[in-house]
Amino acid sequence: MTLAVRVPKELSARVPPEQRGTGLDRDAVRLLVSRGTAVSHHSFGELPRLLRAGDLLVVNTSPTLAAAVDGRIGHARVVVHFSTRGDDGRWAVELREPDGEGTTRARAGGPAGTEVRLPGGLRLVLEDAVSGRLWWARVCGGEVLGLLREHGRPIRYSYTERDQPLSVYQTVFALPSPDGSGSAEMPSAARPFTARLVVELVSRGVQFAPVTLHTGVASAEAHEPPYPERFSVPEASARLINAVRAGNGRVVAVGTTAVRAVESAAAADGVVRAREGWTDLVVTPERGVRVVDGLLTGLHEPQASHLLMLEAVAGRAAIDRGYEEALRRHYLWHEFGDVHLLLPEEPPHAEHCERNCW
């Protein structure tokens, strides 16, 4: 089965597209489009022609934090990945080991009471396990967001070539949060968008609904279901989503984080209401989706739990077929790679009309 195949290392996007050649921008990636099991291949710049007037893109405005900080446990060097800030002031963190090549490898978590010395005289104390790799921890002697601004860097995994400035990990939709919160890892499905492309989409009648979901770490070795994350769906976005669903438009989420946010604000009848707080929703084929018609997403590792969400949106056959084509055509994976647009199947007459009415 396609989803049991391991992705070859050479298909990992090692640098952002704008660094692969002169004159390239963020949108210089390929776009795989799936309508059911029908697949087509495009450049990302063709997206405005693949959507229709009246369609709605739901985008995540969460900014990316410089969430990796060096520390020490005794004489041993560690890297702390700050994942999620809790309501009690603690942070969910992952401790990793430097691998000698500028990135990190997995490290056993805990035990409770472990103390990590951080820059600026701060101390991190592990208190309670969140999962096998994540711990709730308290920072003493200073404020975490200030620590990240002064000493943090973006989380980087071993498939990338080198460290990048934080700006590389911000999407065009990122907005500062009132309390300084953000995502430990970039909501990367939106990375290929440029201001120019957004303007073109708007000029063609495509609308945007901003939501926020602060995503936590998803280490390369652990393909676990997401744990609770903070989200917000504002009133204006809820109204817009409901209006599009009541008309003939399609609601297309930009990224799995946008799906999790909007589906967390949807009632059983599919009506979306303004909501904010914590969500522990895991979208699976059994649960299904209530609001989202389509999804723009990166290419995920075959073991990633995100694939269950993709299957909930488009069905297993569509995902199998799309990933088979992505491997065959050597699409690039991960946050700097190519993207996949999952759209609902359309009757043949609708496709014929679309081709002849542009």
Side-chain angles (χ1 to χ4, degrees):
M1 258 177 133
T2 301
L3 299 188
V5 175
R6 184 165 294 280
V7 178
K9 288 184 177 180
E10 60 269 22
L11 295 187
S12 294
R14 297 180 59 78
V15 296
E18 64 270 23
Q19 297 177 15
R20 296 177 198 151
T22 303
L24 298 180
D25 206 340
R26 287 175 171 233
D27 58 0
V29 296
R30 288 187 290 174
L31 176 63
L32 176 71
V33 178
S34 294
R35 293 182 176 91
T37 55
V39 173
S40 57
H41 303 274
H42 306 267
S43 67
F44 191 75
E46 295 178 71
L47 181 64
R49 295 195 290 107
L50 296 165
L51 298 177
R52 302 191 298 240
D55 284 346
L56 177 68
L57 292 175
V58 181
V59 297
N60 186 359
T61 63
S62 178
T64 307
L65 300 175
V69 178
D70 293 324
R72 286 188 178 272
I73 300 176
H75 296 293
R77 294 173 57 214
V78 295
V79 177
V80 182
H81 288 177
F82 285 86
S83 183
T84 300
R85 181 168 64 177
D87 292 336
D88 61 0
R90 298 188 299 174
W91 281 75
V93 302
E94 179 185 25
L95 301 188
R96 295 176 67 86
E97 295 178 347
D99 63 3
E101 299 179 359
T103 54
T104 61
R105 55 176 169 257
R107 177 189 182 281
T114 297
E115 183 174 300
V116 183
R117 300 195 309 276
L118 299 172
L122 277 66
R123 293 179 299 111
L124 176 83
V125 181
L126 303 187
E127 294 187 350
D128 302 302
V130 179
S131 67
R133 62 192 173 93
L134 291 170
W135 283 75
W136 284 114
R138 194 172 300 278
V139 171
C140 307
E143 196 266 328
V144 172
L145 293 175
L147 171 74
L148 300 186
R149 286 192 296 269
E150 188 170 351
H151 299 285
R153 61 185 179 276
I155 290 174
R156 174 190 160 206
Y157 292 119
S158 58
Y159 50 78
T160 57
E161 186 173 290
R162 56 182 177 269
D163 285 343
Q164 299 284 351
L166 185 59
S167 59
V168 167
Y169 289 89
Q170 303 294 4
T171 74
V172 72
F173 304 111
L175 295 172
S177 298
D179 62 358
S181 295
S183 289
E185 296 183 2
M186 172 177 55
S188 56
R191 192 185 188 279
F193 284 88
T194 62
R196 180 184 65 252
L197 190 64
V198 170
V199 169
E200 183 178 353
L201 286 161
V202 171
S203 72
R204 287 175 172 261
V206 176
Q207 302 179 85
F208 290 83
V211 299
T212 302
L213 186 134
H214 297 315
T215 185
V217 298
S219 68
E221 302 84 11
H223 301 292
E224 304 166 347
Y227 62 92
E229 294 168 320
R230 291 171 59 197
F231 82 104
S232 172
V233 176
E235 179 68 32
S237 293
R239 289 178 181 271
L240 184 54
I241 292 166
N242 292 332
V244 168
R245 293 189 71 243
N248 295 319
R250 299 171 295 185
V251 176
V252 179
V254 178
T256 56
T257 60
V259 175
R260 196 181 197 200
V262 73
E263 291 289 330
S264 296
D269 59 2
V271 175
V272 177
R273 294 178 175 84
R275 191 179 167 199
E276 62 179 20
W278 292 86
T279 177
D280 59 1
L281 175 66
V282 178
V283 178
T284 64
E286 291 73 28
R287 188 268 187 189
V289 288
R290 299 169 178 172
V291 178
V292 172
D293 301 305
L295 173 61
L296 180 71
T297 181
L299 294 164
H300 301 284
E301 290 283 1
Q303 299 84 5
S305 61
H306 290 309
L307 288 175
L308 293 175
M309 181 184 291
L310 271 60
E311 188 178 338
V313 173
R316 181 61 182 262
I319 305 307
D320 277 350
R321 174 66 176 141
Y323 272 64
E324 178 185 85
E325 277 292 293
L327 288 167
R328 189 174 72 85
R329 295 288 193 105
H330 299 99
Y331 276 68
L332 296 181
W333 257 249
H334 303 303
E335 65 265 34
F336 299 142
D338 300 315
V339 283
H340 188 188
L341 177 61
L342 300 159
L343 292 174
E345 291 185 86
E346 294 182 337
H349 71 274
E351 294 177 358
H352 180 269
C353 178
E354 183 176 330
R355 284 197 300 269
N356 288 280
C357 293
W358 274 113

